[in-house]
Amino acid sequence: MPVLVMKFGGTSVANLDRIKRAAKRVGVEVAKGYDVIVIVSAMSGKTNELVGWVNETSPLYDAREYDAIVSSGENVTAGLMALTLQEMDIPARSWQGWQVPVKTTSAHSAARIEEIPNENINAKFAEGMRVAVVAGFQGISPEGRITTLGRGGSDTTAVAFAAAFEAERCDIYTDVDGVYTTDPRITDKARKLDKIAFEEMLELASLGAKVLQTRSVELAMRNKVKLRVLSSFEEQSDDAGTLVCAEEEIMESNVVSGIAYSRDEAKMTLVSVADRPGIAAAIFGPLSDAGVNVDMIIQNIAEDGRTDMTFSCPTDQVKRAEKAMEDAKASGEINFHDLIADTEVAKISAVGIGMRSQSGVAAKMFKTLSDEGVNIKVIATSEIKISVLVDRKYMELAVQALHDAFELDKAA
Ligand code: ADP
Ligand code: ASP
Ligand code: MG
């Protein structure tokens, strides 16, 4: 029988009623003749609560125990979903990651899926089981320890299962009815897209649009998984939601397809470092060794052989970055006068494959922000995106102004 993957996020399984509603959706697909693999998240808020308990118990926690604890939310919803389906007379059972097994790397809290053997689940399908409910976000390392895939990781579990089982489609059920031109929570002018190209979705996700985990889009693109985002709160037709697909499948699109934002950014400036060959390696090597995810980088013009180096990283890595730089200074690898951390910034990005062939997008973006009196602190560009760092207090205003300026409320 053809296989379908259906993933339900935290708000879609937030309580027993919602689990029932999700199970009914699953029942509709089972009735159509699909064998269904359901991937569930933890009930909304649960993962945050578990992370909070870990931090309170042990600030410098053992990452293996973090994963053991934080993965548990999904176990509860997987069992409850299987029971709900059984109550509807649909043959179903739950699977935790290790039981499948979802084999991952040992990078705790940021593990990558390496392999999902399909024999165990397929054997059950062959025996008449119609739904395999799998706990998302988790797997097992080569050492036999429980791992998790990073926040939002159930999306990646879903796509990885769709690839491993050659599913007809991977449906991501969430609390919005698709991918929008920007986060619909920021402006009611945000418009739902019927289709979005993998490359654009990849950029939007990695620049902060949390509707899909970045890695899930990467996997879908590489394995040609038919990926759809849709609402678990409405009745759904077969073409509902947003299809994430190859560029060639999209006939018309705006130059800019979407605006993303990321609230938790910090701008760090090393004041007065020596302007010499090897200085960048001496700074960014230790940062990388300390696990700091550096994003944007600017090196200012040098004066008297000294320069300022500015970079951005997630706010929760500022302490780690500061320590890495102080340690490098103490060991004589680098020298600087001061390290200034600005933790009140946000990143705003415009994304669109149309930028490849059309110029003037950056100029329009900068002019729009300047008309709003928003100062740009750092700029970064790639072929299909332009990102700026601005004061966090202007974040919403900047997203709304850019959404208006690029007329994203109107279809191409
Ligand atoms: P789930 O719990 O189902 O995984 P998430 O909270 O992770 O759901 O992702 C859905 C949320 O993503 C939406 O509620 C929305 O606020 C946010 N979001 C951010 N950018 C976008 C966008 N461009 N389109 C749709 N939703 C977006
Ligand atoms: N429950 C996990 C999280 O909140 C994984 C997920 O929902 O995708 O990050
Ligand atoms: Mg999510």
Side-chain angles (χ1 to χ4, degrees):
M1 270 188 252
V3 172
L4 199 65
V5 172
M6 302 171 76
K7 179 255 173 177
F8 293 92
T11 41
S12 310
V13 293
N15 54 46
L16 299 185
D17 276 344
R18 295 220 178 137
I19 293 178
K20 253 187 216 156
R21 194 197 306 222
K24 275 195 197 139
R25 279 289 322 153
V26 176
V28 170
E29 302 296 353
V30 170
K32 285 185 200 162
Y34 288 106
D35 279 343
V36 179
I37 299 177
V38 173
I39 310 293
V40 285
S41 287
M43 291 178 175
S44 63
K46 191 71 209 171
T47 310
N48 286 344
E49 182 183 44
L50 294 167
V51 170
W53 288 347
V54 170
N55 286 323
E56 212 176 306
T57 307
S58 170
L60 289 175
Y61 52 75
D62 173 346
R64 292 162 299 193
E65 299 306 342
Y66 169 98
D67 278 354
I69 295 157
V70 168
S71 62
S72 67
E74 271 71 10
N75 297 344
V76 176
T77 37
L80 288 171
M81 176 64 83
L83 282 183
T84 308
L85 289 162
Q86 287 172 7
E87 287 294 321
M88 294 162 60
D89 292 325
I90 298 173
R93 69 157 272 195
S94 69
W95 303 76
Q96 295 182 7
W98 66 270
Q99 293 174 304
V100 175
V102 178
K103 296 185 184 177
T104 73
T105 60
S106 332
H108 285 278
S109 83
R112 282 176 167 247
I113 296 176
E114 299 210 299
E115 194 195 347
I116 302 178
N118 57 19
E119 294 80 19
N120 289 340
I121 287 180
N122 274 340
K124 289 290 170 192
F125 278 142
E127 284 172 19
M129 178 187 73
R130 298 301 308 282
V131 184
V133 186
V134 180
F137 178 54
Q138 51 171 265
I140 184 166
S141 71
E143 294 77 28
R145 302 295 302 255
I146 304 298
T147 53
T148 63
L149 311 178
R151 298 305 304 269
S154 296
D155 298 329
T156 301
T157 308
V159 173
F161 271 83
F165 286 79
E166 294 175 14
E168 199 170 292
R169 213 174 50 233
C170 181
D171 284 344
I172 306 286
Y173 285 87
T174 182
D175 58 358
V176 280
D177 60 351
V179 178
Y180 279 69
T181 47
T182 193
D183 188 345
R185 285 175 213 241
I186 299 276
T187 166
D188 53 15
K189 289 190 193 161
R191 179 173 54 87
K192 185 178 82 76
L193 299 163
D194 293 332
K195 290 182 176 179
I196 185 163
F198 282 122
E199 289 86 348
E200 289 174 324
M201 192 63 239
L202 196 58
E203 287 283 7
L204 285 174
S206 72
L207 295 167
K210 71 168 184 161
V211 60
L212 286 173
Q213 198 196 32
T214 309
R215 181 94 185 103
S216 72
V217 186
E218 228 168 69
L219 263 185
M221 185 158 110
R222 183 142 37 87
N223 294 287
K224 300 197 167 53
V225 170
K226 201 166 168 194
L227 181 62
R228 187 164 71 136
V229 177
L230 68 174
S231 164
S232 62
F233 297 105
E234 292 159 22
E235 286 308 311
Q236 297 295 354
S237 60
D238 276 349
D239 60 356
T242 300
L243 189 68
V244 189
C245 60
E247 206 176 313
E248 299 74 47
E249 288 178 51
I250 301 174
M251 303 297 277
E252 299 274 356
S253 68
N254 291 329
V255 181
V256 171
S257 310
I259 310 287
Y261 65 89
S262 165
R263 192 184 304 268
D264 299 311
E265 301 285 326
K267 171 173 161 263
M268 315 277 291
T269 303
L270 285 162
V271 180
S272 187
V273 292
D275 183 31
R276 59 166 171 84
I279 187 67
I283 292 170
F284 296 106
L287 286 170
S288 151
D289 293 344
V292 176
N293 299 314
V294 172
D295 178 20
M296 302 156 130
I297 297 174
I298 26 175
Q299 181 175 348
N300 288 352
I301 200 158
E303 222 176 287
D304 299 330
R306 302 200 74 81
T307 183
D308 295 344
M309 190 78 88
T310 297
F311 61 91
S312 71
C313 69
T315 334
D316 61 2
Q317 294 180 359
V318 165
K319 289 262 169 316
R320 227 183 292 172
E322 283 173 342
K323 182 166 186 316
M325 292 297 87
E326 292 301 340
D327 288 352
K329 188 178 184 181
S331 71
E333 284 169 65
I334 54 172
N335 195 358
F336 55 87
H337 286 178
D338 204 0
L339 175 54
I340 303 168
D342 179 355
T343 53
E344 292 296 313
V345 293
K347 183 170 62 180
I348 318 286
S349 310
V351 172
I353 43 184
M355 283 185 208
R356 282 191 200 129
S357 53
Q358 194 155 331
S359 58
V361 176
K364 189 165 180 175
M365 180 162 179
F366 303 154
K367 170 87 170 58
T368 304
L369 294 173
S370 121
D371 288 348
E372 296 293 333
V374 177
N375 188 29
I376 299 170
K377 298 181 161 215
V378 183
I379 300 168
T381 63
S382 78
E383 206 187 11
I384 65 163
K385 72 121 200 268
I386 301 163
S387 298
V388 294
L389 278 192
V390 301
D391 274 331
R392 192 171 303 144
K393 63 177 182 233
Y394 295 127
M395 191 183 83
E396 274 93 355
L397 172 72
V399 171
Q400 287 156 0
L402 292 171
H403 197 273
D404 284 347
F406 289 108
E407 300 184 36
L408 296 190
D409 53 332
K410 300 189 188 92

